[in-house]
Amino acid sequence: MFDLSWIDLIILVLASFRLTHLIVFDEITSFLRTPFYQVLYVPDESGQMVRDFHFKGGRVRQWIGRLLSCHWCVGIWVGALIVGLYMYVPAAYPLLLLLAIAGAAAVIETKLYSS
């Protein structure tokens, strides 16, 4: 077992949040998602626009597309990667800290603009 401080836990959580969001939602990483699915916006019964996914290719490509479109699914794998980096690659700590700072900034910005 390893000893994990509260501050390190917060850093890992925020880093995982930010990297998951980067993979699933951010425009800068759309090149990762484009081979697997396309997002369409269609109106629902009330006229609100909702995201609709068109998954591409065969079963494997569609499976990867479904994985990449799900923040819960990507979050599990990103969490495993983040913990692995923390435990086995100490030199990755500055990257984890950078992701955590960006994650905290995203949370703060979301709270400021949602009010």
Side-chain angles (χ1 to χ4, degrees), residues 68-103:
L68 288 174
S69 68
C70 171
H71 66 277
W72 300 109
C73 305
V74 172
I76 291 289
W77 296 107
V78 165
L81 173 68
I82 295 293
V83 169
L85 287 173
Y86 175 78
M87 289 178 62
Y88 301 112
V89 186
Y93 196 79
L95 173 63
L96 298 177
L97 189 58
L98 176 67
L99 286 168
I101 292 167

Side-chain angles (χ1 to χ4, degrees), residues 2 25 62 66 77 86 95 104 111:
F2 64 98
F25 297 110
Q62 287 186 15
R66 290 181 195 286
W77 296 107
Y86 175 78
L95 173 63
K111 291 295 181 189

Side-chain angles (χ1 to χ4, degrees), residues 3-104:
D3 196 23
L4 183 66
S5 71
W6 280 103
I7 190 69
D8 284 342
L9 177 62
I10 291 169
I11 288 170
L12 296 179
V13 167
L14 288 170
S16 178
F17 161 74
R18 186 62 193 105
L19 187 55
T20 298
H21 196 280
L22 182 68
I23 293 169
V24 176
F25 297 110
D26 289 356
E27 185 63 32
I28 195 168
T29 55
S30 65
F31 71 92
L32 295 174
R33 301 181 302 271
T34 301
F36 303 103
Y37 68 86
Q38 177 183 14
V39 177
L40 305 170
Y41 291 91
V42 295
D44 65 7
E45 303 83 37
S46 67
Q48 295 281 358
M49 298 301 280
V50 294
R51 288 170 34 135
D52 186 34
F53 297 96
H54 171 71
F55 298 101
K56 302 176 182 178
R59 288 167 48 188
V60 172
R61 266 178 77 189
Q62 287 186 15
W63 179 82
I64 294 170
R66 290 181 195 286
L67 173 74
L68 288 174
S69 68
C70 171
H71 66 277
W72 300 109
C73 305
V74 172
I76 291 289
W77 296 107
V78 165
L81 173 68
I82 295 293
V83 169
L85 287 173
Y86 175 78
M87 289 178 62
Y88 301 112
V89 186
Y93 196 79
L95 173 63
L96 298 177
L97 189 58
L98 176 67
L99 286 168
I101 292 167

